[in-house]
Amino acid sequence: DMDAQGISNVMWACARCEIDAGAPESLFETLAERAFMEADSFTAQAIANMFWASGKLHRRGAPVSPMFYILPILSEVAVQRADAMTAQAIANTLWGIADLRHEVSTSVFERDLVPILAEMLIKKAPKVSDAELG
């Protein structure tokens, strides 16, 4: 069985390897199912990786639509873990949300997650270097 970190790592690796429309949708269906079962155990970094990778893969045409159902659930977990997010994790999460805004219902993001992440980034901003934002 794959845990939350493993799911996040596979998504990140798919994005870094520039997986595109040729990828089987069943891969993302399986990852989404596992992510649903493991949602409460995702760390702040794993959540950031999921949002970033989903956005990047979607932009390349990969069949990531199964992830569109898990991201709102992960956003609820992210609200709970926002304090633990680094500035780069916040930036990656926001980038993923922005990239997916036409595909995923953004009401949960805009109502809860985005304002909290913006607040956390403002708190962290005086201590953040350009290198930390990637």
Side-chain angles (χ1 to χ4, degrees):
D1 286 337
M2 191 178 298
D3 64 5
Q5 187 64 49
I7 296 161
S8 169
N9 289 348
V10 170
M11 285 293 291
W12 180 86
C14 286
R16 291 293 294 167
C17 291
E18 300 187 351
I19 300 294
D20 59 19
E25 187 171 5
S26 61
L27 167 66
F28 300 105
E29 289 170 352
T30 300
L31 290 170
E33 288 171 13
R34 291 295 310 154
F36 179 78
M37 291 186 277
E38 297 289 332
D40 288 336
S41 61
F42 273 79
T43 64
Q45 185 60 50
I47 291 167
N49 287 349
M50 293 292 286
F51 275 93
W52 176 83
S54 294
K56 185 148 178 84
L57 288 163
H58 177 260
R59 189 174 278 218
R60 292 198 49 80
V64 293
S65 60
M67 300 314 271
F68 299 165
Y69 303 103
I70 190 63
L71 292 176
I73 294 166
L74 288 180
S75 75
E76 293 173 13
V77 178
V79 167
Q80 300 164 9
R81 310 252 195 296
D83 287 350
M85 285 188 155
T86 64
Q88 183 174 356
I90 293 169
N92 288 347
T93 302
L94 291 172
W95 185 90
I97 290 169
D99 204 47
L100 296 167
R101 69 188 173 278
H102 298 296
E103 304 298 331
V104 181
S105 171
T106 59
S107 62
V108 69
F109 303 144
E110 292 168 357
R111 184 186 69 240
D112 297 327
L113 185 55
V114 171
I116 288 171
L117 293 181
E119 181 181 324
M120 294 308 302
L121 199 52
I122 290 167
K123 285 181 182 177
K124 294 173 187 274
K127 304 174 213 154
V128 176
S129 68
D130 290 341
E132 287 179 273
L133 293 177

